[in-house]
Amino acid sequence: MPDLTTLPFPPAFLWGAATSAYQIEGAVREGGRTPSIWDTFSHTPGRTAGGDHADIAVDHYHRYRDDVALMADLGLTAYRFSVSWPRVQPTGRGPAVQVGLDFYRRLVDELLAHGIKPALTLYHWDLPQELEDAGGWPERDTAYRFAEYAQIVGEALGDRVEQWTTLNEPWCSAFLGYGSGVHAPGRTDAGASLRAAHHLNLAHGLATSALRASMPAHNSIAVSLNSAVVRPASLSPADMAATRRIDDLANGVFHGPMLHGSYPQSLFEATRSVTDWSYVQDGDLTLIHQPLDALGLNYYTPALVEAVEATPVGPRADGHGLSAYSPWPAADDVAFLQTPGERTEMGWTIDPTGLYDLIMRYAREAPGLPLYVTENGAAYDDKPDPEGHVHDPERIAYLHGHLSAVRRAIADGADVRGYYLWSLMDNFEWAYGYGKRFGAVYVDYATLARTPKSSARWYGEAARTGTLPSAEGA
């Protein structure tokens, strides 16, 4: 078998990096922007590490030109960013604020001027607070508000942005936001989390239709799912059944209706103690099941589960933060085990085989649909040396292993068109505040100075050559 690390990637393969609006932009009160649920959540005592918030974040709103120049210097060919809904449509209703759209127009123009392909995500968790006050994602109307917002952005940027993503990781929005409460808006209601999941699905379908009506036909529309790689602790019937339950809650709840036009029947059966799913109205699945042009996959670490006796809900080793409430509705008799191996600063096991397995799963489930790895990366305790350099050999090894898994999947027939490193630079890591550094570029949070780490130079060389450099250095 050939050494896949020496084989070139396809010539058109996109080498990108990803960010999200709330994590990097700052300027939360400029240009008519109003609070999102993450502004409210991060300013609520006890919700984030150290009381951190993203009022300034890394000030990308004012420094975007320098950041785009840095991407170009590194050799990136694509950049995945998200639009802040409350910056464009502050109340989540009504007309757009043009100064908000103008920021994204300038950003896109700057990217294109540097030969970097923009990839736009409409929603990366920053619901306008006024919509949450009206009920948030558990309310059906939120899906229709999202479609209106999608049309606004599509009409404004569809002539210059070809790659579009409706939602980023709707699982986190539904189950961490409304189930375990570790993400905004911090609610803890299992039934509400499942209603939110359905309305996020509906929002995706309605937004896809709105984008198709408002943009050039050649534009690509996708969704980015953090589909879990769920593995059983043993091949016992009980552990296999537990694995199926978690797979339904992590994956089937979204890719079922989006890709296949139906929810898994086993999901309905497993969650009947929590909800009767009566909010799924006639015609909803047709609205959700819109043809896609691509599928984004976000991957960090696999899950290992086993069946146990039902226990009182409490902290669990699922990698999704500590809470007395579970993000897994009606699954208190499933335990998450620590998988063996080296770990990142998030405590997540490093396992590139999970990325390979995930890609090949969707290559089978959605044949003919181009795939993108829209997030993959690792947090480490990066620090500058006395000369101001930031060496991160662990991240280089992580990237080498996971990009090798991507190359293996391509060799085995998967149509993977690009890879977006999470993240371009250190930023506000949600409830973890500024304590976890995922960036390929180091940010000094006191001065906001940017310093490319060794991994950024290594990744840039991969982007320029289309092959993987040695993992021994940049």
Side-chain angles (χ1 to χ4, degrees), residues 165-384:
T165 295
T166 55
L167 306 173
N168 179 78
E169 298 187 354
W171 185 88
C172 294
S173 298
F175 296 105
L176 300 184
Y178 294 92
S180 68
V182 299
H183 278 192
R187 289 161 62 179
T188 53
D189 181 334
S193 71
L194 289 165
R195 290 198 306 275
H198 177 65
H199 295 141
L200 283 155
N201 282 328
L202 184 61
H204 159 76
L206 293 170
T208 299
S209 297
L211 290 174
R212 294 212 188 281
S214 59
M215 300 195 309
H218 66 263
N219 284 358
S220 171
I221 301 174
V223 64
S224 286
L225 303 177
N226 57 321
S227 296
V229 177
V230 189
R231 294 168 173 167
S234 76
L235 297 180
S236 72
D239 285 354
M240 296 298 288
T243 301
R244 173 61 187 269
R245 299 231 326 267
I246 298 303
D247 187 81
D248 281 347
L249 287 167
N251 304 324
V253 66
F254 295 109
H255 78 223
M258 289 181 181
L259 299 181
H260 308 304
S262 64
Y263 284 103
Q265 187 62 35
S266 51
L267 173 67
F268 291 156
E269 294 169 358
T271 57
R272 66 179 55 176
S273 64
V274 175
T275 180
D276 61 5
W277 292 88
S278 59
Y279 40 84
V280 180
Q281 298 184 10
D282 290 345
D284 279 5
L285 291 168
T286 300
L287 293 173
I288 295 167
H289 186 214
Q290 299 299 313
L292 289 174
D293 302 300
L295 178 65
L297 301 174
N298 296 357
Y299 171 81
Y300 292 95
T301 190
L304 183 66
V305 302
E306 70 174 353
V308 295
E309 294 293 328
T311 57
V313 175
R316 64 207 56 78
D318 61 5
H320 294 297
L322 297 179
S323 171
Y325 298 88
S326 175
W328 307 101
D332 294 338
D333 54 351
V334 179
F336 289 78
L337 307 179
Q338 287 282 7
T339 52
E342 295 183 19
R343 304 184 187 283
T344 69
E345 279 291 304
M346 297 292 289
W348 298 343
T349 303
I350 302 166
D351 188 348
T353 68
L355 180 55
Y356 173 83
D357 290 347
L358 183 65
I359 292 170
M360 298 310 296
R361 171 180 183 169
Y362 284 97
R364 293 187 299 270
E365 287 211 11
L369 192 63
L371 304 175
Y372 291 85
V373 178
T374 40
E375 283 187 29
N376 177 239
Y380 290 104
D381 186 20
D382 305 312
K383 294 182 174 66

Side-chain angles (χ1 to χ4, degrees), residues 396 399-400 403 454-463 468-471 473-474:
I396 291 172
L399 294 176
H400 189 278
L403 281 162
S454 298
S455 61
R457 300 300 182 192
W458 182 94
Y459 186 62
E461 184 179 347
L468 300 183
S470 165

